[in-house]
Amino acid sequence: MIRYAKPTTVDEALALLGEARWRILAGGTDFYPAQGAKPFRDNVLDINGLAMLRGIAQTEDHWLIGARTTWTDLVRHPLPAAFDALKQAAREVGSVQIQNVASIAGNLCNASPAADGVPALLVLDAEVELRSVATVRHRPLEKFILGNRRTELQPGEMVTAIRVPKQAATGTSAFEKLGARRYLVISIAMAAARLIIEDGIVANAAVAVGSCSVVARRLSGVEAALRGLPVNDSLVAAIQSAAMDELSPIDDVRGSAEYRRDAAREIVVRAVLGAAGHASDDKAVAA
């Protein structure tokens, strides 16, 4: 028999997860399209009654984003400038109606290579909080998403929060997305950048690209090339020549692998310039 449950406490939800296999239903914006017209064959655990998993708070060391926090919640919450890329990504998640109900944790657990929230969370060194009846563990986001539709989530576990270390919530950031049209589009490529600028020099940089590999990736070569540079045209030149070995784009209906490689370099430039406070020129930078 197919079961449906809507717990009212996290402990109740974890107890249910510990006794059987369930599909977790949060916002439902990916859940129902994936189900299509097929009959339900899995137990459904509806966590929309867990108010304690929605919202943004601070501890001494972290910013905590509850698993059920929506993209609209995120956009409206006052956060440091380091979160600007994440807020910009939030505005790109489907339509406003989807942003009002889709959960941030659901975006991660769906594990699409084109998940809009992932690059911006990667540049914040985000961690995923996983709970079961027996344990609580924290995994870096880059290790939580294993591949297309695959995560490290174990039977009996659920994501309860995303944690951002306060030491990573510094500097300024920006997000760029390339799609076939302006709204309601799956990314061809996207990039997020976070810079710490001291006396006009890039003291540290974090750069990530999505939709150009099976999971979104930080670009260590680009980050290293940017450190120590003055905030001027040298940033563009450094990105043009930096290695992007982490990327392995594919050919699909949205674009060829070659196009994605060129586009990734271009939007990385735009994201970095945006994080540095300089609007990029639509004409380009990637040669």
Side-chain angles (χ1 to χ4, degrees), residues 97-148:
Q97 293 91 334
I98 289 174
Q99 294 162 24
N100 287 344
V101 296
S103 68
I104 296 174
N107 192 250
L108 305 185
C109 291
N110 193 46
S112 165
D116 291 314
V118 176
L121 285 167
L122 284 175
V123 300
L124 289 166
D125 295 338
E127 304 167 345
V128 181
E129 180 179 275
L130 302 163
R131 288 183 181 266
S132 67
V133 169
T135 63
V136 179
R137 62 191 183 108
H138 300 96
R139 296 294 289 158
L141 177 57
E142 61 188 8
K143 294 183 178 179
F144 173 70
I145 300 177
L146 302 177
N148 185 19

Short mmCIF file of all heavy atoms in Angstrom, two decimals, residues 97-148:
data_model
loop_
_atom_site.label_atom_id
_atom_site.label_comp_id
_atom_site.label_asym_id
_atom_site.label_seq_id
_atom_site.Cartn_x
_atom_site.Cartn_y
_atom_site.Cartn_z
N GLN A 97 6.03 32.57 -9.44
CA GLN A 97 5.18 31.60 -8.74
C GLN A 97 6.00 30.42 -8.25
O GLN A 97 5.78 29.92 -7.13
CB GLN A 97 4.05 31.11 -9.67
CG GLN A 97 3.04 32.19 -10.04
CD GLN A 97 3.41 32.93 -11.32
OE1 GLN A 97 4.58 33.01 -11.67
NE2 GLN A 97 2.41 33.45 -12.02
N ILE A 98 6.95 29.95 -9.06
CA ILE A 98 7.82 28.86 -8.64
C ILE A 98 8.73 29.31 -7.51
O ILE A 98 8.93 28.60 -6.51
CB ILE A 98 8.62 28.32 -9.83
CG1 ILE A 98 7.69 27.56 -10.79
CG2 ILE A 98 9.76 27.41 -9.36
CD1 ILE A 98 8.34 27.12 -12.07
N GLN A 99 9.29 30.50 -7.62
CA GLN A 99 10.17 31.02 -6.57
C GLN A 99 9.44 31.13 -5.23
O GLN A 99 10.06 30.99 -4.16
CB GLN A 99 10.70 32.39 -6.98
CG GLN A 99 11.63 32.36 -8.17
CD GLN A 99 11.81 33.73 -8.83
OE1 GLN A 99 11.61 34.76 -8.18
NE2 GLN A 99 12.16 33.73 -10.11
N ASN A 100 8.13 31.33 -5.27
CA ASN A 100 7.36 31.48 -4.03
C ASN A 100 7.19 30.17 -3.27
O ASN A 100 6.90 30.18 -2.07
CB ASN A 100 5.97 32.05 -4.34
CG ASN A 100 6.00 33.52 -4.71
OD1 ASN A 100 6.98 34.21 -4.46
ND2 ASN A 100 4.92 34.01 -5.31
N VAL A 101 7.34 29.03 -3.95
CA VAL A 101 7.11 27.74 -3.28
C VAL A 101 8.30 26.79 -3.35
O VAL A 101 8.44 25.91 -2.49
CB VAL A 101 5.85 27.03 -3.83
CG1 VAL A 101 4.61 27.83 -3.53
CG2 VAL A 101 5.97 26.76 -5.33
N ALA A 102 9.15 26.92 -4.35
CA ALA A 102 10.28 26.00 -4.50
C ALA A 102 11.27 26.19 -3.37
O ALA A 102 11.61 27.32 -2.99
CB ALA A 102 10.97 26.23 -5.84
N SER A 103 11.77 25.09 -2.83
CA SER A 103 12.70 25.16 -1.70
C SER A 103 14.14 25.10 -2.18
O SER A 103 14.46 24.47 -3.20
CB SER A 103 12.43 24.01 -0.72
OG SER A 103 12.77 22.77 -1.31
N ILE A 104 15.01 25.73 -1.43
CA ILE A 104 16.43 25.74 -1.78
C ILE A 104 17.02 24.34 -1.67
O ILE A 104 17.77 23.89 -2.55
CB ILE A 104 17.18 26.74 -0.89
CG1 ILE A 104 16.67 28.16 -1.17
CG2 ILE A 104 18.69 26.65 -1.09
CD1 ILE A 104 17.22 29.21 -0.26
N ALA A 105 16.66 23.61 -0.63
CA ALA A 105 17.17 22.24 -0.48
C ALA A 105 16.68 21.34 -1.61
O ALA A 105 17.40 20.46 -2.07
CB ALA A 105 16.77 21.67 0.87
N GLY A 106 15.45 21.56 -2.05
CA GLY A 106 14.93 20.78 -3.17
C GLY A 106 15.73 20.97 -4.43
O GLY A 106 15.97 20.03 -5.19
N ASN A 107 16.20 22.20 -4.65
CA ASN A 107 17.05 22.50 -5.81
C ASN A 107 18.34 21.70 -5.76
O ASN A 107 18.83 21.22 -6.79
CB ASN A 107 17.33 24.01 -5.83
CG ASN A 107 17.96 24.50 -7.12
OD1 ASN A 107 19.12 24.87 -7.12
ND2 ASN A 107 17.21 24.52 -8.20
N LEU A 108 18.88 21.51 -4.56
CA LEU A 108 20.11 20.75 -4.41
C LEU A 108 19.86 19.25 -4.53
O LEU A 108 20.60 18.53 -5.19
CB LEU A 108 20.76 21.05 -3.05
CG LEU A 108 21.04 22.52 -2.73
CD1 LEU A 108 21.79 22.63 -1.41
CD2 LEU A 108 21.81 23.19 -3.85
N CYS A 109 18.79 18.78 -3.88
CA CYS A 109 18.50 17.34 -3.89
C CYS A 109 18.07 16.86 -5.27
O CYS A 109 18.28 15.68 -5.61
CB CYS A 109 17.43 17.01 -2.86
SG CYS A 109 18.00 17.20 -1.16
N ASN A 110 17.48 17.73 -6.06
CA ASN A 110 17.12 17.36 -7.44
C ASN A 110 18.37 17.10 -8.28
O ASN A 110 18.35 16.33 -9.24
CB ASN A 110 16.28 18.47 -8.07
CG ASN A 110 15.61 18.05 -9.34
OD1 ASN A 110 15.02 16.98 -9.43
ND2 ASN A 110 15.70 18.90 -10.37
N ALA A 111 19.45 17.75 -7.90
CA ALA A 111 20.79 17.49 -8.47
C ALA A 111 20.84 17.58 -9.98
O ALA A 111 21.47 16.76 -10.65
CB ALA A 111 21.31 16.13 -7.99
N SER A 112 20.21 18.60 -10.53
CA SER A 112 20.34 18.85 -11.97
C SER A 112 21.65 19.58 -12.23
O SER A 112 22.03 20.48 -11.47
CB SER A 112 19.17 19.70 -12.46
OG SER A 112 19.44 20.23 -13.74
N PRO A 113 22.37 19.25 -13.30
CA PRO A 113 23.57 20.02 -13.65
C PRO A 113 23.27 21.49 -13.89
O PRO A 113 24.17 22.33 -13.81
CB PRO A 113 24.06 19.34 -14.94
CG PRO A 113 23.49 17.97 -14.89
CD PRO A 113 22.16 18.11 -14.21
N ALA A 114 21.99 21.80 -14.20
CA ALA A 114 21.58 23.18 -14.48
C ALA A 114 20.87 23.83 -13.30
O ALA A 114 20.19 24.83 -13.47
CB ALA A 114 20.68 23.21 -15.71
N ALA A 115 21.04 23.29 -12.09
CA ALA A 115 20.40 23.89 -10.91
C ALA A 115 20.96 25.28 -10.66
O ALA A 115 22.16 25.45 -10.43
CB ALA A 115 20.62 22.99 -9.70
N ASP A 116 20.10 26.28 -10.71
CA ASP A 116 20.55 27.67 -10.66
C ASP A 116 21.24 28.04 -9.35
O ASP A 116 22.14 28.89 -9.33
CB ASP A 116 19.36 28.62 -10.88
CG ASP A 116 18.83 28.57 -12.30
OD1 ASP A 116 19.64 28.60 -13.24
OD2 ASP A 116 17.60 28.49 -12.47
N GLY A 117 20.83 27.41 -8.24
CA GLY A 117 21.39 27.82 -6.96
C GLY A 117 22.78 27.31 -6.67
O GLY A 117 23.47 27.84 -5.79
N VAL A 118 23.24 26.28 -7.37
CA VAL A 118 24.46 25.59 -6.96
C VAL A 118 25.73 26.44 -7.13
O VAL A 118 26.53 26.53 -6.19
CB VAL A 118 24.59 24.23 -7.66
CG1 VAL A 118 25.91 23.56 -7.30
CG2 VAL A 118 23.42 23.33 -7.27
N PRO A 119 25.98 27.08 -8.29
CA PRO A 119 27.24 27.85 -8.40
C PRO A 119 27.36 28.94 -7.34
O PRO A 119 28.44 29.12 -6.75
CB PRO A 119 27.16 28.44 -9.81
CG PRO A 119 26.31 27.48 -10.58
CD PRO A 119 25.27 27.04 -9.60
N ALA A 120 26.26 29.64 -7.06
CA ALA A 120 26.31 30.72 -6.07
C ALA A 120 26.54 30.19 -4.67
O ALA A 120 27.18 30.85 -3.84
CB ALA A 120 25.02 31.54 -6.13
N LEU A 121 26.04 29.00 -4.36
CA LEU A 121 26.31 28.39 -3.06
C LEU A 121 27.73 27.84 -2.99
O LEU A 121 28.36 27.89 -1.93
CB LEU A 121 25.29 27.28 -2.78
CG LEU A 121 23.89 27.76 -2.39
CD1 LEU A 121 22.89 26.60 -2.44
CD2 LEU A 121 23.90 28.39 -0.99
N LEU A 122 28.25 27.36 -4.11
CA LEU A 122 29.63 26.87 -4.12
C LEU A 122 30.62 27.98 -3.78
O LEU A 122 31.60 27.75 -3.06
CB LEU A 122 29.96 26.26 -5.47
CG LEU A 122 29.39 24.88 -5.78
CD1 LEU A 122 29.72 24.48 -7.22
CD2 LEU A 122 29.92 23.83 -4.80
N VAL A 123 30.41 29.18 -4.31
CA VAL A 123 31.37 30.25 -4.03
C VAL A 123 31.24 30.76 -2.60
O VAL A 123 32.09 31.52 -2.13
CB VAL A 123 31.26 31.42 -5.05
CG1 VAL A 123 31.52 30.93 -6.47
CG2 VAL A 123 29.94 32.16 -4.95
N LEU A 124 30.18 30.33 -1.90
CA LEU A 124 30.02 30.64 -0.48
C LEU A 124 30.51 29.50 0.42
O LEU A 124 30.28 29.52 1.64
CB LEU A 124 28.54 30.93 -0.17
CG LEU A 124 27.99 32.25 -0.70
CD1 LEU A 124 26.47 32.25 -0.62
CD2 LEU A 124 28.57 33.44 0.07
N ASP A 125 31.16 28.50 -0.17
CA ASP A 125 31.65 27.34 0.59
C ASP A 125 30.52 26.68 1.38
O ASP A 125 30.72 26.24 2.52
CB ASP A 125 32.79 27.72 1.54
CG ASP A 125 34.04 28.19 0.82
OD1 ASP A 125 34.20 27.84 -0.37
OD2 ASP A 125 34.85 28.92 1.42
N ALA A 126 29.34 26.59 0.79
CA ALA A 126 28.17 26.08 1.49
C ALA A 126 28.32 24.61 1.87
O ALA A 126 28.97 23.82 1.17
CB ALA A 126 26.92 26.27 0.63
N GLU A 127 27.70 24.26 2.99
CA GLU A 127 27.64 22.89 3.47
C GLU A 127 26.18 22.47 3.58
O GLU A 127 25.29 23.30 3.81
CB GLU A 127 28.27 22.77 4.86
CG GLU A 127 29.69 23.25 4.95
CD GLU A 127 30.14 23.40 6.39
OE1 GLU A 127 29.29 23.41 7.30
OE2 GLU A 127 31.36 23.50 6.61
N VAL A 128 25.93 21.18 3.43
CA VAL A 128 24.57 20.64 3.55
C VAL A 128 24.46 19.90 4.88
O VAL A 128 25.32 19.06 5.20
CB VAL A 128 24.27 19.68 2.37
CG1 VAL A 128 22.85 19.13 2.48
CG2 VAL A 128 24.45 20.41 1.04
N GLU A 129 23.43 20.24 5.63
CA GLU A 129 23.17 19.56 6.90
C GLU A 129 22.23 18.39 6.66
O GLU A 129 21.12 18.58 6.15
CB GLU A 129 22.57 20.52 7.92
CG GLU A 129 22.28 19.88 9.27
CD GLU A 129 21.70 20.89 10.25
OE1 GLU A 129 22.49 21.60 10.90
OE2 GLU A 129 20.45 20.96 10.35
N LEU A 130 22.66 17.18 7.04
CA LEU A 130 21.89 15.96 6.82
C LEU A 130 21.57 15.34 8.18
O LEU A 130 22.47 15.13 9.00
CB LEU A 130 22.71 14.97 5.99
CG LEU A 130 23.18 15.48 4.62
CD1 LEU A 130 24.30 14.61 4.09
CD2 LEU A 130 22.02 15.50 3.66
N ARG A 131 20.29 15.04 8.38
CA ARG A 131 19.87 14.46 9.66
C ARG A 131 19.17 13.13 9.45
O ARG A 131 18.43 12.94 8.49
CB ARG A 131 18.91 15.40 10.40
CG ARG A 131 19.54 16.64 10.98
CD ARG A 131 18.53 17.47 11.76
NE ARG A 131 19.13 18.66 12.30
CZ ARG A 131 19.64 18.78 13.54
NH1 ARG A 131 19.56 17.74 14.35
NH2 ARG A 131 20.18 19.89 13.94
N SER A 132 19.41 12.24 10.39
CA SER A 132 18.65 11.00 10.50
C SER A 132 18.29 10.85 11.97
O SER A 132 18.65 11.70 12.81
CB SER A 132 19.48 9.81 10.03
OG SER A 132 20.56 9.58 10.91
N VAL A 133 17.61 9.77 12.32
CA VAL A 133 17.28 9.53 13.72
C VAL A 133 18.54 9.46 14.56
O VAL A 133 18.59 9.95 15.69
CB VAL A 133 16.45 8.23 13.86
CG1 VAL A 133 16.33 7.83 15.32
CG2 VAL A 133 15.08 8.40 13.24
N ALA A 134 19.59 8.88 13.99
CA ALA A 134 20.79 8.60 14.78
C ALA A 134 21.85 9.69 14.71
O ALA A 134 22.62 9.86 15.66
CB ALA A 134 21.39 7.28 14.32
N THR A 135 21.95 10.41 13.60
CA THR A 135 23.10 11.29 13.41
C THR A 135 22.72 12.62 12.76
O THR A 135 21.67 12.76 12.14
CB THR A 135 24.18 10.63 12.52
OG1 THR A 135 23.61 10.40 11.22
CG2 THR A 135 24.66 9.32 13.11
N VAL A 136 23.65 13.56 12.91
CA VAL A 136 23.64 14.82 12.16
C VAL A 136 25.02 14.94 11.53
O VAL A 136 26.03 14.78 12.21
CB VAL A 136 23.39 16.04 13.06
CG1 VAL A 136 23.42 17.32 12.22
CG2 VAL A 136 22.08 15.92 13.80
N ARG A 137 25.06 15.15 10.24
CA ARG A 137 26.36 15.34 9.59
C ARG A 137 26.31 16.50 8.62
O ARG A 137 25.23 16.89 8.16
CB ARG A 137 26.84 14.06 8.90
CG ARG A 137 25.97 13.56 7.77
CD ARG A 137 26.38 12.14 7.34
NE ARG A 137 25.59 11.68 6.20
CZ ARG A 137 26.07 11.56 4.96
NH1 ARG A 137 27.33 11.87 4.70
NH2 ARG A 137 25.29 11.13 3.98
N HIS A 138 27.47 17.05 8.33
CA HIS A 138 27.58 18.20 7.44
C HIS A 138 28.56 17.86 6.33
O HIS A 138 29.67 17.41 6.59
CB HIS A 138 28.05 19.44 8.21
CG HIS A 138 27.12 19.84 9.31
ND1 HIS A 138 27.32 19.46 10.62
CD2 HIS A 138 25.96 20.55 9.28
CE1 HIS A 138 26.34 19.94 11.36
NE2 HIS A 138 25.50 20.59 10.58
N ARG A 139 28.12 18.06 5.10
CA ARG A 139 28.94 17.74 3.93
C ARG A 139 29.10 18.99 3.07
O ARG A 139 28.12 19.70 2.81
CB ARG A 139 28.29 16.64 3.10
CG ARG A 139 28.19 15.31 3.83
CD ARG A 139 29.56 14.73 4.11
NE ARG A 139 30.21 14.26 2.89
CZ ARG A 139 31.52 14.10 2.77
NH1 ARG A 139 32.34 14.42 3.75
NH2 ARG A 139 32.03 13.65 1.63
N PRO A 140 30.32 19.25 2.60
CA PRO A 140 30.48 20.36 1.63
C PRO A 140 29.57 20.11 0.43
O PRO A 140 29.43 18.98 -0.03
CB PRO A 140 31.95 20.26 1.24
CG PRO A 140 32.61 19.51 2.36
CD PRO A 140 31.59 18.56 2.87
N LEU A 141 28.97 21.17 -0.06
CA LEU A 141 28.05 21.02 -1.20
C LEU A 141 28.74 20.34 -2.37
O LEU A 141 28.14 19.51 -3.07
CB LEU A 141 27.53 22.40 -1.62
CG LEU A 141 26.62 22.43 -2.85
CD1 LEU A 141 25.41 21.52 -2.68
CD2 LEU A 141 26.19 23.87 -3.16
N GLU A 142 30.01 20.64 -2.60
CA GLU A 142 30.72 20.06 -3.75
C GLU A 142 30.87 18.54 -3.63
O GLU A 142 31.09 17.85 -4.62
CB GLU A 142 32.09 20.70 -3.92
CG GLU A 142 33.01 20.52 -2.74
CD GLU A 142 34.27 21.35 -2.87
OE1 GLU A 142 34.36 22.18 -3.78
OE2 GLU A 142 35.17 21.17 -2.03
N LYS A 143 30.73 18.01 -2.40
CA LYS A 143 30.79 16.56 -2.20
C LYS A 143 29.40 15.94 -2.04
O LYS A 143 29.26 14.72 -2.15
CB LYS A 143 31.66 16.24 -0.99
CG LYS A 143 33.11 16.61 -1.18
CD LYS A 143 33.96 16.21 0.02
CE LYS A 143 35.42 16.56 -0.22
NZ LYS A 143 36.28 16.20 0.94
N PHE A 144 28.40 16.77 -1.79
CA PHE A 144 27.03 16.26 -1.61
C PHE A 144 26.41 15.87 -2.95
O PHE A 144 25.77 14.83 -3.08
CB PHE A 144 26.17 17.31 -0.92
CG PHE A 144 24.71 16.94 -0.84
CD1 PHE A 144 24.27 15.91 -0.02
CD2 PHE A 144 23.77 17.62 -1.61
CE1 PHE A 144 22.93 15.56 0.05
CE2 PHE A 144 22.43 17.28 -1.56
CZ PHE A 144 22.01 16.25 -0.72
N ILE A 145 26.58 16.72 -3.97
CA ILE A 145 26.03 16.41 -5.30
C ILE A 145 27.06 15.57 -6.04
O ILE A 145 28.17 16.02 -6.32
CB ILE A 145 25.69 17.69 -6.07
CG1 ILE A 145 24.66 18.52 -5.30
CG2 ILE A 145 25.16 17.35 -7.46
CD1 ILE A 145 24.32 19.84 -5.95
N LEU A 146 26.69 14.34 -6.38
CA LEU A 146 27.62 13.39 -6.96
C LEU A 146 27.56 13.33 -8.48
O LEU A 146 28.52 12.92 -9.12
CB LEU A 146 27.33 11.98 -6.41
CG LEU A 146 27.41 11.84 -4.89
CD1 LEU A 146 27.04 10.42 -4.49
CD2 LEU A 146 28.79 12.22 -4.37
N GLY A 147 26.43 13.72 -9.06
CA GLY A 147 26.25 13.64 -10.50
C GLY A 147 24.83 14.02 -10.87
O GLY A 147 24.07 14.50 -10.03
N ASN A 148 24.48 13.78 -12.12
CA ASN A 148 23.14 14.11 -12.60
C ASN A 148 22.09 13.30 -11.82
O ASN A 148 22.07 12.07 -11.92
CB ASN A 148 23.05 13.83 -14.09
CG ASN A 148 21.73 14.27 -14.68
OD1 ASN A 148 21.01 15.08 -14.11
ND2 ASN A 148 21.40 13.73 -15.84
#
